[in-house]
Structure formats: C-alpha cells, structure tokens
Amino acid sequence: MRYALPILTCKEAAECEREFFAAGIFGEAEAIERAGSGIAKSFLSEFRLPQNPRIAVLCGAGHNGADALVAARQICAAIPGAKIYIAIPNREKLKQNTVHAFDELAAKFSSQIERIVPDAEIFELAGRFDLAIEGLTGMTFRPPARENLARAIESANALHARIKISVDIPAGASDGSPNSPVFRADATYATGIAKAALFEKFNREYAGRIRLVDIGFFEDRDWPSQRFIISESISGPLKELRPSISDKRSYGHAFVLAGSRQYPGAALMNVKAALRSGAGLVTAFVPETFAPQFAAAEPSAIWVGCPEDENGAIALESYGLIRSRIGKADALLAGSGITACAETAALVRQILSDFPELPAVLDADAITKQTMDALKGRLAPSIATPHEGEFLRIAKDASDSSLAEACEKYGCAILLKSSATRSCVDGRIIYSTRGGPVLSRGGSGDILAGLCCGIAASKKFPSPALAALCATDWLGRAAELAARELGETAVATSDIIKFLPSALL
C-alpha cells in the first residue's frame, strides 16, 4: 500500500515531471485534465458555494493557468448558473494546453462568462466573488516578481472573494523566502506533487489549507525524499468488506485509561472515537464517579469505574482492577484528561513496564519524560500524540530533526499535532494536512487518540504507526465534512465524530 507520497522541492518536482512525461505513461494534457478535475472535486467536497456563484479565474500563461481553467469548468458543470470572470494574458502568450483549456471552457459555458480582462488588470474585476481560483504562476517561478506580475498578485490579494484558492503553489511563492508579493490563499491544491515550499514557515500564511491532488505520478515508481504527505489511499484497509465469518473478537479490543474529575469528557470522547474506529470491543477505565453516567451516554462500551484520589484522578490502587483484565487488550490508550496526578502517572508507567508486548498510545498528560522513558525497550510499538506544548516537555524544539530524535530516543512513533500534523515513521517525516481550523477546539486530540488506539487494536494495519497516520487523515476528512455541513464556527468537537462514517465513503 502506498500510504504516503514524496514532498519535493520545486526543482526536484520539475525533474520528476520531466521523467514521468518522457516515460509516456500519459502526457501533459491528460495531467492538466486530471489536476483541474481533482481540484474541483476536492474543493466541492470541502466547501459550499451558493446558487449562481460568481467565480474569478486568475490565469497565467502556463499550465497552472490551464489547471485553473479546467477546475473552473468542472465547478461550473457541478453548479449550474455560475458566473465566470477571467483574467488571462493575451492569447499569443498562452501555452498550447492553456489555449485548449480556455477554449473548452468558453465552448461549454460561453453564456456564463461575464467578463475577460488582461491578467495584469485583475483590479478591473470589481464586486464580490464567491470563489477566486489563482493560477498565475507555477513551480518554475523565481523571485522577485516582475512589475506586471507583482501588480497582478497585489490586485488578486485585494480582490473581494469569500474563498481564495491557489493551484499548486501560491503566485509569488517559491522554495526561498519571499522578497516580492505572494498571493494569500485560503487553500492550496498541490497538483500531482506536494511542493516543499508549501511547508516552509515563511510560506505557511500564504498557502492556507494544503490539499494534495494525486494525479498518478507515483503509482508505479518511487522518488527519493525525506519528507512525505499522507495519501488518500491510506484509509483503504478500513473500506474493505469484513469477512462474513467473524465476531467482535476478530476486530480487536481497545483499552482506554482516561478522564478525571477535572476533565471527565476526555474519556468519553476517546471512547466514542474508538467505537467508530472499527475495534470489536472497547473497555474504558475511568473515575468511578463517572462510570454510570458514561455507560448511559455510550452503552456500546464496557465501563469500569476506578478508585479515585482526593483530586478525582484515577488512583494507583486501580492497578489490580486493570491487571485482571488487560490480558484481553490488543491496544491501550492512556493519558487523555488524566491531569498531572502523580498516582495516575505512576499507574500508567507500571502498566507499560509490566505489559511490554501491549501496543500503547500516550496522549496529553501521559506525555512526560518519565512516562516516555517507560516506552524504551518495550517489545510492542507505541504512539505518542502531543501538541507542540506537550512535545516540548520531551524535546528541545519542534523541528523535524527534534521529532526524529525523539522517536528514536523513546522507540515510538510520534504524531505532532498542528495545522499540518507531522509524524516520524522509519526515519521519514510524514505530513497530514487534512482538516482545518474546525479542529482548533478542545477535544479534537481526544478523538484522534481514540481513533489511533481503536485502529491499532483492530489490526487492520501492519503497525500501530500506520494506524496512527490513518487516524489523523481520517479525522481531518471528517472535520472537513463537519465544517462543510455546519460551518467552522458553530461546531462542537463532539459533532465531528458524527462525520467519521461519511469520511470513509
């Protein structure tokens, strides 16, 4: 299974494309059609446009302009009544494929094209737009921008559009730090190859959400890289039919140790996500105060009430209760909502030490140097799911090198949660970019940890590390569906769980 695709510099990507087209698998025209159609499909699956939307298409002379025109054509086909406004260079300056893309759009939707202006005169596209598709430059751009292009980018940034998207890489951006205007996109659709420039700190504010449009460049070949982006195909094992002769024990038993009087909801979020993950059984060890309420709220799980310390955290004396059952577990999640209680931390370390063959997921307050040290030398692979603040408890900074060092030091896979979540698997940095600001809410990490544990327990993947990569991609896609249906403001984190099934369809 090809679960991740390489992230390349613009120079590497250009060479990769040249080799691909020289091999004759398919040509540039087919690549443009796949890229534009993929952009439209990805955009429409995540964002809603109103009836009769006003769409601005900002084209350069090259193939990014052609991609933008194809994307506009496909969006217009999906939304009858769209009105199109195009900024494009004079015809004699266009590449042949860009001419073809323009002619095809004009032939099919001529009555819906409201205005065409030169690309340097984007400022003439007055009024408010529902969508602006920017394809002014491509990966061959080298700063600084010439005067006409700089003016076009500034005009594009000033354009009134509810959603602005870029084709492949925002105009004005490159592998180096920008020294001229850069288009500010709400989302960038990397076509065929994810460009390293999109992940550089100096470009993140311009790239917005990063979405990979896989058009088949890597179906039958590899390309050397140290950084990768998760492929949509990673969820393939979860979409397969289950054997007709099976029972709940066939799909693993996930154990969850979570929650406290201060953060009771974390355990419930863990469990609800683990139940959706495909695990056959989920057992949760929670403070005894909450077990009856949680059982009423989610009767599909097995709830075990544990003794509490004076602060309402799970007490160390719960060890015997857990030990008597843990032989049935296929994966353990510990940490969500447990607080910094010394007794609970000691309990987690004891379990990790006494059951070294049990795959483990550590989250939140279980991510400390002491507890992470307990992972060293364990026979079973482990996963940690920190956000940056939690990661800095165990590393000097949040760089790629620190992430790789921490994974090696503690002998585990780490998902470093952020707007572009990073993990380190087998020494390679792997990005997950699905989701968006809708996940910037308390509790989203609890869902992720529950999915990681449940998928690992179900044994659908050869390693818990791959299960974790699948979990972060799946959660991101569910979050996109939630935002599309409910908006990005009036959403509770628990709402996202309801969209997990649809995200696998």
Side-chain angles (χ1 to χ4, degrees):
M1 178 185 66
R2 190 176 292 274
Y3 63 86
L5 302 179
I7 296 172
L8 305 179
T9 66
C10 290
K11 182 179 180 180
E12 291 169 337
E15 178 60 26
C16 181
E17 286 192 11
R18 279 193 294 270
E19 287 192 14
F20 181 86
F21 293 132
I25 300 171
F26 57 79
E28 290 182 337
E30 174 67 17
I32 289 167
E33 188 64 30
R34 291 188 182 197
S37 298
I39 291 169
K41 180 181 178 181
S42 182
F43 173 81
L44 292 171
S45 72
E46 184 174 357
F47 300 103
R48 286 185 183 274
L49 291 178
Q51 291 183 341
N52 306 318
R54 300 179 83 239
I55 300 173
V57 187
L58 316 178
C59 297
H63 286 167
N64 272 24
D67 292 347
L69 291 163
V70 172
R73 190 186 81 224
Q74 297 290 1
I75 291 172
C76 289
I79 307 177
K83 301 298 181 184
I84 310 166
Y85 301 75
I86 303 174
I88 191 167
N90 294 333
R91 190 178 182 89
E92 61 270 15
K93 295 182 180 180
L94 303 180
K95 286 191 173 182
Q96 182 179 353
N97 286 317
T98 311
V99 170
H100 177 75
F102 175 81
D103 288 346
E104 192 163 357
L105 174 64
K108 292 187 177 181
F109 299 102
S110 59
S111 63
Q112 295 170 235
I113 296 177
E114 295 289 303
R115 192 171 186 193
I116 300 174
V117 301
D119 60 327
E121 298 178 13
I122 293 172
F123 60 87
E124 290 192 8
L125 299 179
R128 294 187 176 274
F129 295 90
D130 299 290
L131 170 64
I133 307 173
E134 180 272 311
L136 291 170
T137 64
M139 62 183 176
T140 59
F141 168 78
R142 297 292 180 269
R146 65 186 186 279
E147 184 178 348
N148 281 356
L149 176 59
R151 186 168 69 249
I153 294 171
E154 289 172 345
S155 297
N157 280 331
L159 198 69
H160 294 289
R162 186 173 67 88
I163 304 172
K164 294 182 178 181
I165 67 174
S166 280
V167 173
D168 202 38
I169 186 170
S174 68
D175 288 328
S177 182
N179 58 2
S180 56
V182 179
F183 181 73
R184 193 177 296 272
D186 297 302
T188 296
Y189 294 84
T191 51
I193 302 169
K195 312 306 184 292
L198 299 176
F199 300 90
E200 299 294 345
K201 285 186 178 180
F202 49 75
N203 283 329
R204 289 294 289 118
E205 63 178 298
Y206 303 110
R209 299 158 172 83
I210 300 170
R211 302 291 181 255
L212 174 63
V213 178
D214 182 6
I215 64 175
F217 282 161
F218 301 103
E219 285 183 5
D220 299 307
R221 65 175 185 160
D222 295 311
W223 195 271
S225 180
Q226 291 300 309
R227 295 197 292 176
F228 292 77
I229 185 170
I230 293 176
S231 166
E232 185 175 357
S233 64
I234 194 166
S235 59
L238 300 183
K239 299 178 182 181
E240 296 172 355
L241 285 178
R242 291 185 165 194
S244 56
I245 301 176
S246 60
D247 61 32
K248 59 191 176 186
R249 292 163 295 184
S250 305
Y251 305 106
H253 195 157
F255 272 35
V256 176
L257 173 64
S260 62
R261 188 184 304 159
Q262 187 174 356
Y263 301 112
L268 190 56
M269 298 280 269
N270 283 162
V271 168
K272 284 181 176 291
L275 288 168
R276 292 288 191 185
S277 72
L281 288 162
V282 178
T283 293
F285 298 88
V286 298
E288 57 191 357
T289 302
F290 300 104
Q293 302 169 48
F294 289 167
E298 189 46 81
S300 300
I302 302 165
W303 297 92
V304 180
C306 296
E308 305 171 23
D309 71 3
E310 65 275 10
N311 296 313
I314 297 174
L316 181 57
E317 65 185 281
S318 304
Y319 178 76
L321 198 63
I322 297 169
R323 183 185 178 90
S324 66
R325 293 169 169 81
I326 206 164
K328 300 177 180 178
D330 293 293
L332 168 72
L333 162 60
S336 302
I338 63 172
T339 72
C341 169
E343 282 199 41
T344 313
L347 173 63
V348 173
R349 290 194 294 272
Q350 189 69 51
I351 295 169
L352 293 174
S353 176
D354 290 354
F355 301 94
E357 297 182 357
L358 179 63
V361 179
L362 299 185
D363 184 40
D365 284 312
I367 301 172
T368 65
K369 285 186 177 181
Q370 277 187 305
T371 305
M372 293 291 288
D373 279 338
L375 298 179
K376 297 176 180 178
R378 296 184 81 241
L379 301 177
S382 305
I383 303 162
T385 60
H387 56 59
E388 186 169 322
E390 293 162 346
F391 183 69
L392 292 178
R393 299 173 190 163
I394 61 171
K396 61 182 179 181
D397 57 46
S399 64
D400 286 355
S401 59
S402 287
L403 178 57
E405 288 170 10
C407 289
E408 183 176 2
K409 177 179 179 180
Y410 297 109
C412 67
I414 295 176
L415 292 182
L416 181 50
K417 297 176 290 192
S418 185
S419 57
T421 292
R422 286 174 291 151
S423 58
C424 184
V425 179
D426 299 327
R428 303 187 303 175
I429 300 298
I430 301 176
Y431 282 80
S432 173
T433 61
R434 304 307 303 226
V438 71
L439 286 170
S440 299
R441 288 171 163 79
S444 60
D446 301 325
I447 300 175
L448 177 62
L451 288 176
C452 287
C453 181
I455 299 172
S458 70
K459 301 177 182 176
K460 282 281 191 177
F461 291 86
S463 73
L466 291 186
L469 293 178
C470 178
T472 187
D473 183 74
W474 186 8
L475 174 60
R477 293 177 188 277
E480 291 168 21
L481 293 178
R484 187 179 190 278
E485 185 69 25
L486 305 173
E488 293 187 349
T489 300
V491 177
T493 309
S494 55
D495 291 333
I496 297 171
I497 296 173
K498 304 170 189 174
F499 290 88
L500 288 169
S502 299
L504 281 185
L505 299 178

